[in-house]
Amino acid sequence: MLNLTKKPYYLKQEQIEYLKKKIQKMTVAEKIGQLFFVIGQDEATVDIAEFIHKYQPGGMMYRPDKAEKLKRELNIAQKASTIPLLMAANLESGGNGLVSEGTWLGTPLQMAATDDPASAYQLGNVAGSEAYQVGGNMSFAPIVDIDKNFRNPIMNTRTFGSDKNRVLKMSQAQIKGLEANHIIPVIKHFPGDGVDERDQHLLSSVNSLSTDEWLQSYGQIYHTLIEEGTPSVMIAHIMQPAWERKLEPGIADKDLRPASSSKLLIEGLLRNVLHFNGLTITDATPMLGYNTTMARKDLLPATINAGIDMILFNKNIDEDYHYIQQAIDNGILSMERVNEAVMRILGTKLAQGIMNVKEELTQTVPEDLNLKLAEHQQIAQQIAKKSVTLVKDRDQLLPLTPDKYHRIRLVVLGDSDDGGFKEGGHVTDLFKDKLTQAGFEVSLFNRQQLDFHEVFDEGVADLQDKFDLALYVANIETASNQTTTRLDWIHLMAADAPWFMKSIPTVFVSTANPYHLFDVPNMSTFINAYTGNEASIDAVIRKLMGQEAFQGINPVDPFCGDFQTKL
């Protein structure tokens, strides 16, 4: 039963009395609006004030855009809303999760590679500071998942690694950094991603751990953060069959549900076993992992009935609102359950300082933008210096100097915009320009215009006449809606693959996925940088040239449990 005097609310009696009266006065339409966390609207295509008046949403989640534009849009929305809005973004890797010119500090896995919670604190601090400047007040982060499956295409660098204790201490630090800037943390993705090798954007993936295994890993992280007062949890389209079977013995496989529509996992596991009393928000509901479980007209009401308080995103917004209204009219969704959800939503806004009992926005957005980009870039450089990791240097090819390897063949893999909502940019020009500035002669392998004579006819001596060392850089980011992040060579004869690595010195650097050694196990020298930002590339080149030591630790097993990768 909801108790607003307890964690994470700690509301005073006068605040609770206000909420009770407010719930009584609200229309059904107003209550339905509060249940929805809609996508942030663009002033170029929508009259934002009119949108807010019509739909009265409880929150908006924005994708990155220019700071001045975002600040104006969020301000318009807040002024138009009778109840102050939750304004969220994916602040997973820095302020660039909301502000397009903001700081890409680095992925969570990069923070983990420093083995220093201060790095994770800065991840929250920098992201929180920049988001608050434009009116943000909620972060869909930290990610508290555990990277248990190197084949998972969506998680690896988005996690703090495979050690549950490191994941916990880093998450705790990131939360402190966010809260220092008045940003509400939302921990995700309950009941835990990183076990399956599939992406919940494309299907309902499965956390296949036993109940005991889950409690000792994901459960320990969630329990600790809940005890420490985390205000909100994002519920994923991920199944946890062992717990559903424990909570309802004999349940048929066909009745197992992803957590976002499972009363067993929300009311049973999250609320009753872990004693979470706060706000629950689904992951994005346009995902296939959500929509393929049942018809959307049935699924949306089932989601609220399962214990979800807010639904993230819409397909057709009018249709989605109608589905909830229809379920209320038909008695499928009770007003008692709706009122409880709205009570949690408004209670969170009160407890987290977004509004007061007069329904005034109490968040103070700075009048003048000050993103502190130069200061934050220095922090990114410090983290990069501490995180870049030498996985192996079997043949002691390092350090690389222009005298030793003057001519470098640079081969860049990935570096594309394909895949949903990627964090980073392209690294090709950065590596080429910085290596050239360091005194190397760099020839770039052109994947778009193959040299067919080289590919089909040339041998080792021919290539030795062209370059002294091959530097492979893989910038293959984790991203939504893709089934793999494995190396994918040119399909014609694997034309860009390092067949010559035993004859010509070859070095491999990954600026994203830490597991590429699985696909090039015979590689002599392998380096993980975790993030493709400029600070990390600068650090990689300094370390390649022996100008500074490698300091990063492996936050995951880059050898993927394969004996070949260690040879």
Side-chain angles (χ1 to χ4, degrees):
M1 183 175 176
L2 176 58
N3 187 338
L4 295 174
T5 65
K6 294 184 177 181
K7 75 174 70 159
Y9 303 100
Y10 300 113
L11 294 184
K12 297 176 182 177
Q13 198 57 42
E14 64 185 56
Q15 294 173 307
I16 296 172
E17 289 304 313
Y18 151 74
L19 288 175
K20 290 179 179 177
K21 291 177 183 177
K22 178 64 179 176
I23 297 289
Q24 289 176 347
K25 293 179 182 177
M26 291 175 73
T27 66
V28 173
E30 288 173 329
K31 292 175 183 178
I32 291 172
Q34 286 297 303
L35 301 179
F36 283 91
F37 216 118
V38 301
I39 193 161
Q41 299 299 301
D42 190 328
E43 64 184 11
T45 56
V46 172
D47 183 323
I48 294 176
E50 183 180 310
F51 178 92
I52 296 296
H53 289 146
K54 180 178 181 180
Y55 295 108
Q56 306 175 76
M60 300 178 84
M61 189 270 195
Y62 269 86
R63 297 293 185 189
D65 210 334
K66 290 291 184 181
E68 290 283 1
K69 179 171 179 274
L70 279 171
K71 184 178 179 181
R72 183 170 59 251
E73 290 175 335
L74 270 60
N75 182 53
I76 290 169
Q78 290 288 23
K79 284 185 175 180
S81 185
T82 56
I83 298 174
L85 291 150
L86 297 169
M87 292 292 193
N90 277 342
L91 301 179
E92 297 176 4
S93 297
N96 68 325
L98 179 58
V99 179
S100 57
E101 68 265 44
T103 305
W104 186 19
L105 196 75
T107 62
L109 198 63
Q110 183 173 27
M111 307 303 121
T114 70
D115 202 28
D116 184 356
S119 300
Y121 174 85
Q122 288 296 355
L123 183 58
N125 178 49
V126 168
S129 170
E130 294 178 6
Y132 195 80
Q133 288 289 314
V134 300
N137 57 36
M138 177 175 270
S139 167
F140 289 158
I143 293 172
V144 301
D145 298 310
I146 305 172
D147 198 32
K148 287 182 170 289
N149 189 333
F150 75 88
R151 292 182 173 88
N152 186 295
I154 185 66
M155 294 316 301
N156 59 61
T157 54
R158 296 176 69 209
T159 75
F160 288 117
S162 55
D163 183 301
K164 66 176 181 182
N165 296 320
R166 185 178 293 115
V167 171
L168 177 57
K169 72 179 182 180
M170 292 288 175
S171 301
Q172 290 167 319
Q174 186 180 4
I175 287 170
K176 289 177 181 176
L178 290 166
E179 291 180 336
N181 293 278
H182 312 290
I183 301 294
I184 304 167
V186 180
I187 60 175
K188 64 184 185 183
H189 305 82
F190 182 85
D193 209 338
V195 179
D196 203 333
E197 66 181 78
R198 298 167 295 179
D199 175 8
Q200 59 155 332
H201 291 79
L202 301 174
L203 55 103
S204 301
S205 59
V206 179
N207 182 311
S208 56
L209 300 183
S210 70
T211 55
D212 286 344
E213 289 170 333
W214 189 89
L215 275 178
Q216 292 163 14
S217 53
Y218 294 90
Q220 181 181 324
I221 293 169
Y222 277 99
H223 173 74
T224 302
L225 295 178
I226 288 168
E227 285 297 302
E228 292 175 354
T230 193
S232 184
V233 175
M234 178 174 282
I235 313 298
H237 317 310
I238 297 175
M239 296 175 142
Q240 219 303 320
W243 268 104
E244 285 204 298
R245 289 176 177 131
K246 181 180 178 69
L247 293 168
E248 186 179 318
I251 186 173
D253 287 354
K254 67 180 179 61
D255 295 325
L256 297 173
R257 293 283 181 266
S260 52
S261 57
S262 170
K263 190 167 186 176
L264 292 171
L265 294 179
I266 300 171
E267 292 293 343
L269 179 55
L270 184 60
R271 299 239 185 254
N272 295 335
V273 176
L274 298 179
H275 306 296
F276 179 62
N277 189 38
L279 182 70
T280 53
I281 306 171
T282 68
D283 207 334
T285 60
M287 293 184 189
L288 271 73
Y290 181 74
N291 285 302
T292 55
T293 55
M294 62 177 82
R296 194 170 175 94
K297 68 180 178 62
D298 303 316
L299 183 55
L300 289 173
T303 296
I304 302 298
N305 275 329
I308 290 290
D309 302 312
M310 298 190 80
I311 294 165
L312 181 59
F313 295 169
N314 304 97
K315 292 298 283 184
N316 180 302
I317 189 169
D318 294 304
E319 185 177 73
D320 283 355
Y321 273 48
H322 173 69
Y323 287 153
I324 296 295
Q325 179 69 65
Q326 189 176 52
I328 292 171
D329 293 342
N330 294 340
I332 294 169
L333 181 56
S334 71
M335 284 309 304
E336 180 182 10
R337 172 65 199 112
V338 171
N339 289 342
E340 180 189 49
V342 175
M343 187 76 82
R344 277 203 175 90
I345 296 163
L346 300 187
T348 298
K349 293 178 180 182
L350 275 180
Q352 296 296 320
I354 305 302
M355 61 180 268
N356 57 26
V357 295
K358 296 179 182 179
E359 294 166 34
E360 298 167 327
L361 178 69
T362 51
Q363 176 185 4
T364 304
V365 180
E367 186 172 337
D368 297 320
L369 273 175
N370 183 11
L371 297 176
K372 301 180 182 178
L373 296 180
E375 177 184 328
H376 293 166
Q377 190 57 39
Q378 289 183 341
I379 297 171
Q381 291 167 357
Q382 294 164 4
I383 289 170
K385 181 178 180 180
K386 293 170 63 177
S387 59
V388 175
T389 307
L390 178 62
V391 176
K392 71 175 185 178
D393 185 25
R394 181 190 63 220
D395 300 329
Q396 297 183 322
L397 300 181
L398 302 181
L400 310 185
T401 64
D403 291 337
K404 188 176 179 183
Y405 306 111
H406 181 66
R407 301 168 304 166
I408 289 182
R409 165 63 61 86
L410 177 62
V411 184
V412 182
L413 310 172
D415 219 26
S416 76
D417 296 320
D418 186 40
F421 307 120
K422 288 191 173 184
E423 285 278 2
H426 300 165
V427 304
T428 300
D429 290 342
L430 285 171
F431 268 99
K432 186 176 187 298
D433 293 346
K434 290 176 185 295
L435 287 167
T436 301
Q437 291 165 15
F440 295 97
E441 179 185 308
V442 182
S443 61
L444 181 65
F445 184 91
N446 191 336
R447 291 169 58 93
Q448 306 307 316
Q449 295 181 344
L450 293 181
D451 181 338
F452 288 97
H453 175 67
E454 179 179 298
V455 171
F456 289 105
D457 299 327
E458 291 186 355
V460 171
D462 299 301
L463 295 182
Q464 287 173 331
D465 284 340
K466 296 181 179 182
F467 55 89
D468 306 308
L469 177 137
L471 176 61
Y472 277 75
V473 176
N475 189 40
I476 303 172
E477 295 180 82
T478 55
S480 60
N481 303 311
Q482 58 186 20
T483 57
T484 181
T485 49
R486 299 278 295 278
L487 297 183
D488 188 19
W489 308 111
I490 291 172
H491 297 170
L492 177 65
M493 297 287 293
D496 52 348
W499 65 269
F500 48 76
M501 71 171 76
K502 291 291 187 178
S503 303
I504 300 174
T506 305
V507 173
F508 196 106
V509 175
S510 174
T511 56
N513 189 308
Y515 296 119
H516 290 315
L517 197 54
F518 186 72
D519 285 325
V520 283
N522 299 113
M523 189 65 62
S524 168
T525 304
F526 190 95
I527 294 160
N528 273 325
Y530 312 105
T531 303
N533 59 9
E534 188 168 2
S536 298
I537 293 168
D538 284 337
V540 165
I541 290 175
R542 291 195 306 270
K543 293 172 192 298
L544 282 172
M545 296 182 68
Q547 296 170 355
E548 68 183 35
F550 288 90
Q551 299 179 42
I553 60 103
N554 288 315
V556 295
D557 175 19
F559 300 102
C560 307
D562 181 1
F563 77 94
Q564 293 184 88
T565 59
K566 295 183 179 181
L567 298 178

